[in-house]
Amino acid sequence: MEVMEAIAQRASVRSYRDEAVDRADLERIVEAGHLAPSGYNKQPWHFLVLTERDDVRAVGRAMASDWVASAPALIAVVVDDSSRFWLEDGAAAIENILLAATDLGYGSCWVGGGAQFNEDSIKLTLNIPANLRVQAVVTIGRPAEWQQHEKRPLSEVLTWGKWA
């Protein structure tokens, strides 16, 4: 799949088939996150991959989310917020993860707010050190359905030159 095709096809998926995600595919997906750009090359991230049903369900409970609990795999993106650009670096890694998942035929969803609002519970569930942040949890799996959402036309969001 070409990059622009993956970008156009990517959508947030919240309903998955009951089908395991291949370990080699998960490693490729995480590798894409690992290869993301990083301010001053600090790479303040760590990726926790969960595929055991009990672990995934526990994170879903920590986030108070049944649909997260039903995902075949989760990637928790954990960052060191002492790095100046941790938020941007983590976001770039997450976007790469989403695009790699799409490229491999998986659906995914970036769950940021749920992770941040329930960060203490997630950290406790996953034994994440207190000095690190859970930036997001990304669900991964074969989509039960793939919904494309209409994007605004480029002409509505693109301005050449100064703001008119």
Side-chain angles (χ1 to χ4, degrees):
M1 183 179 295
E2 296 293 323
V3 172
M4 290 302 289
E5 184 181 352
I7 291 169
Q9 186 177 338
R10 196 220 59 80
S12 294
V13 174
R14 292 179 180 86
S15 179
Y16 300 97
R17 298 192 304 225
D18 187 19
E19 190 178 310
V21 179
D22 183 75
R23 183 182 179 101
D25 287 345
L26 283 167
E27 286 184 7
R28 288 185 67 197
I29 291 167
V30 170
E31 179 68 11
H34 174 252
L35 294 172
S38 170
Y40 297 106
N41 199 31
K42 293 290 186 188
Q43 303 175 50
W45 46 61
H46 191 88
F47 308 96
L48 277 76
V49 179
L50 305 172
T51 58
E52 295 295 325
R53 292 302 319 140
D54 288 344
D55 294 337
V56 172
R57 285 187 186 112
V59 172
R61 281 193 303 275
M63 296 177 71
S65 174
D66 290 338
W67 75 267
V68 169
S70 69
L74 299 178
I75 301 170
V77 180
V78 178
V79 293
D80 180 349
D81 69 358
S82 68
S83 173
R84 181 176 175 192
F85 299 108
W86 71 271
L87 189 61
E88 295 89 341
D89 291 352
I94 294 164
E95 181 64 10
N96 279 10
I97 286 169
L98 299 174
L99 293 174
T102 301
D103 181 54
L104 294 171
Y106 294 100
S108 60
C109 189
W110 175 341
V111 189
Q116 291 163 355
F117 295 134
N118 299 291
E119 183 175 17
D120 291 339
S121 296
I122 296 167
K123 287 169 79 168
L124 184 64
T125 300
L126 298 177
N127 300 322
I128 296 169
N131 65 311
L132 300 177
R133 301 288 313 269
V134 178
Q135 184 168 354
V137 169
V138 179
T139 58
I140 306 282
R142 298 285 181 200
E145 60 179 323
W146 201 291
Q147 294 182 339
Q148 287 297 122
H149 298 284
E150 190 86 14
K151 297 290 185 180
R152 292 171 37 198
L154 186 60
S155 62
E156 288 184 16
V157 299
L158 170 66
T159 300
W160 292 95
K162 295 180 181 179
W163 195 270

